[in-house]
Amino acid sequence: MRVKGGPATRQRRKSVKRKVEGAWGTKHTSYKIAHQTLLRSAEYAYRDRKVRKRDFRKLWNTRINAAVRDLGYNYSTFIDALHKAKILINRKMLSELAIHHPDEFKTLVTKVMSK
């Protein structure tokens, strides 16, 4: 006896199409192409979760560099001085300090660079 599985199959295909609703053209209407689009988007999502971390670190480094240059130093010598002074503050916090609390950042830089 042949089992067609109509409702289950339709429901599965519908859920795939719903997930790629914003895609353009056939990518959101045809099941086969919608499924390929969904697989590709999952690959991009996985990859870009890693890339986002890289991008933020780049941004923090740029912000720290800009703030330190205003005080007459450069990024690499400042980070080196931080390591030598055994001050363990990550770049995200240094960046936040430079933007939101410039006075405290300035005192930190002068303290570290004077050693």
Side-chain angles (χ1 to χ4, degrees), residues 18-56:
R18 231 180 275 121
K19 287 175 185 169
V20 291
E21 218 169 40
W24 189 83
T26 316
K27 286 185 176 189
H28 78 282
T29 54
S30 164
Y31 168 73
K32 184 178 180 180
I33 298 171
H35 185 63
Q36 291 171 354
T37 304
L38 190 64
L39 292 176
R40 179 62 53 87
S41 70
E43 286 176 14
Y44 287 149
Y46 177 79
R47 181 197 69 189
D48 291 340
R49 279 194 295 274
K50 314 293 180 223
V51 171
R52 186 187 314 135
K53 292 166 181 58
R54 267 182 258 160
D55 289 344
F56 270 109

Side-chain angles (χ1 to χ4, degrees), residues 45-113:
Y46 177 79
R47 181 197 69 189
D48 291 340
R49 279 194 295 274
K50 314 293 180 223
V51 171
R52 186 187 314 135
K53 292 166 181 58
R54 267 182 258 160
D55 289 344
F56 270 109
R57 187 175 167 110
K58 228 188 293 187
L59 174 69
W60 299 328
N61 291 347
T62 305
R63 285 177 176 174
I64 295 167
N65 189 24
V68 170
R69 280 187 188 273
D70 286 344
L71 302 173
Y73 303 104
N74 67 13
Y75 174 81
S76 61
T77 54
F78 172 64
I79 294 294
D80 183 49
L82 268 179
H83 286 300
K84 286 178 181 170
K86 291 186 174 45
I87 297 175
L88 303 173
I89 303 176
N90 63 16
R91 285 161 174 78
K92 180 181 180 179
M93 289 301 115
L94 282 170
S95 167
E96 290 294 314
L97 205 61
I99 291 171
H100 300 297
H101 305 286
D103 299 330
E104 283 90 6
F105 184 75
K106 185 176 181 177
T107 57
L108 175 73
V109 172
T110 53
K111 180 182 172 186
V112 168
M113 297 309 277

